[in-house]
Each structure stands twice: as structure tokens, then as C-alpha cells.
Amino acid sequence: MMLCVWMVRRQHLRDHTNQSNLQEKLEHYTLHDQLTGLPNRAQFADRIEYLAGICARVPHESFAVLLMDLDSFKVINESLGHLSGNKLLKEVGLRIRNSVRPEDFVARLGGDEFGVIIENAKEVTEVINLVKRIHQQFDLPFTIKGHEVIETISIGITICQGKHLSTEDIVRDADIAMYRAKNMGRGRYELFNKHMHVEAVERIEIEG
């Protein structure tokens, strides 16, 4: 009788452990990019929302959001194939991760777009220096299928401080700055300002 009870308890513990492991895997898949292993867009947005809430309550708190996009990924992907493109994206994720501080948040947002959240961004110069370190990582060529591939990355920066901004507004501002950098030339960065937003709205109205 005691043996049966022990076997039932062991099976129950095993089932519970398997269920917990499955739950952890599902949560990881939900919040992480499967190719690079980095946090995904959903987790990126959640982190921005959390930090924006802190900034709205605590004076002088600030953080920076970087959005970045590869400048020639489509050409590389089409010429060398999707597997090579995936290898490049993995390497890009590693280089970005190696460029920032351990406490900074790096995510792959989809396609060839990546994001970084820099907490406690007290000085703009500190953020700019970090961006320059990222760009320095792209001075070295990538080796893909025996080919040395030169790739550059355009980066948009927005500094979040004080009044509460929605996650959508913050990502939009960084996105506007990123496309300004891309339009100004490859391998550049731009810091968002309100004039950029006005220009973007005017451009949309003209196109409409």
C-alpha cells in the first residue's frame, strides 16, 4: 500500500515538473525571438511601458530607446539566400549585445530591425557614445558562406524623460529618427526632436 502511494506521489511530482517546464518554454517562446534568442517586440514594448510609468512618477528619471535597421539586408538576403540572411541576423544580434552594457535591453523587433533600451540615460553624450560603439562593431565585415559582407546600420534615438508618453509615441519618435538617419546616408544615427515629428506629419498630409 505504501509503495503504491509513493509511486502515485512520484508520478504526480513528475507530471507537475513536466507541466512547469512546458509552461516556461511557452512563456519563453511568447517573449523571445526564435532566431536570435533575444527578447521580441512584445517584451520590448512591455519594458518601455514599465519605464515610461516610472518616468511619469519619479522626477529626473530617464531612459533612451534606440531603433536600428540594417541598410542592405534585402540585397544580402536575396543574393546569398535566406539561410545566410538568418546567419547575418544572428551575428548582428550578438554584435549589438556586445556593444552595450549588461543592464541594457536588446531586442529583435522583426525582420532586420533591432531595438535597445538604455535605462538611467542621464547624459545624451553617454547614449551617443554607446551608439558609436554599436557602429564600430559594423566596421568589421561579416563572413557569410565564405564571403566577406560589409553591412551598415541606421539608428534612431529618442530620450524619454518627465511627462508620460505612450509606448506607441516613444517607438514612433525613435522610428522617425531612424528613417531620418537612413535618408541622410548609411551607417548614421539621428537624435529625435519635435521638428522631425512636424516634418513627418506634413509629409503624410502632402502624400495624402
Side-chain angles (χ1 to χ4, degrees):
M1 179 67 179
M2 290 296 293
L3 179 61
C4 290
V5 171
W6 178 80
M7 291 179 67
V8 169
R9 285 179 178 174
R10 188 175 68 171
Q11 184 62 42
H12 175 74
L13 287 172
R14 184 181 297 151
D15 292 343
H16 179 72
T17 300
N18 290 338
Q19 186 175 0
S20 297
N21 291 339
L22 179 59
Q23 184 66 28
E24 288 178 3
K25 287 180 180 179
L26 289 174
E27 290 178 359
H28 185 273
Y29 289 148
T30 303
L31 297 174
H32 289 80
D33 171 56
Q34 299 309 300
L35 177 64
T36 63
L38 294 171
N40 61 13
R41 182 179 288 273
Q43 194 174 169
F44 185 74
D46 287 346
R47 190 65 184 169
I48 292 175
E49 185 175 3
Y50 169 75
L51 293 173
I54 293 177
C55 286
R57 299 190 303 270
V58 182
H60 310 302
E61 278 294 323
S62 62
F63 66 100
V65 172
L66 316 179
L67 285 191
M68 49 197 76
D69 191 85
L70 297 177
D71 293 321
S72 308
F73 179 72
K74 185 177 180 180
V75 175
I76 295 170
N77 204 35
E78 290 178 351
S79 59
L80 297 180
H82 293 295
L83 291 178
S84 296
N86 287 344
K87 183 180 179 183
L88 175 63
L89 291 172
K90 289 180 183 180
E91 182 64 28
V92 167
L94 286 173
R95 292 194 185 189
I96 295 172
R97 178 71 266 177
N98 291 336
S99 303
V100 302
R101 305 169 305 180
E103 63 268 28
D104 295 327
F105 190 95
V106 180
R108 182 188 174 211
L109 308 181
D112 59 338
E113 189 175 15
F114 293 80
V116 176
I117 300 172
I118 305 169
E119 297 187 35
N120 301 315
K122 302 298 184 185
E123 300 290 338
V124 174
T125 52
E126 181 182 356
V127 177
I128 298 300
N129 286 336
L130 188 146
V131 169
K132 288 180 178 178
R133 290 203 302 271
I134 294 174
H135 273 150
Q136 286 171 358
Q137 288 285 324
F138 287 79
D139 290 342
L140 298 172
F142 296 85
T143 302
I144 308 291
K145 277 189 174 180
H147 300 281
E148 285 198 347
V149 175
I150 300 296
E151 179 60 286
T152 56
I153 194 165
S154 296
I155 303 176
I157 311 163
T158 186
I159 307 294
C160 311
Q161 186 176 30
K163 66 177 182 178
H164 181 71
L165 290 173
S166 70
T167 300
E168 182 180 354
D169 288 341
I170 292 169
V171 173
R172 177 206 63 202
D173 292 348
D175 197 53
I176 289 173
M178 181 186 73
Y179 278 98
R180 167 64 70 87
K182 194 174 283 288
N183 290 334
M184 295 296 290
R186 297 184 175 189
R188 293 176 57 94
Y189 68 85
E190 290 287 336
L191 179 63
F192 175 80
N193 59 56
K194 291 182 180 179
H195 183 64
M196 288 183 186
H197 184 213
V198 172
E199 284 186 343
V201 172
E202 289 176 349
R203 186 168 61 252
I204 290 172
E205 291 176 348
I206 291 171
E207 290 174 354

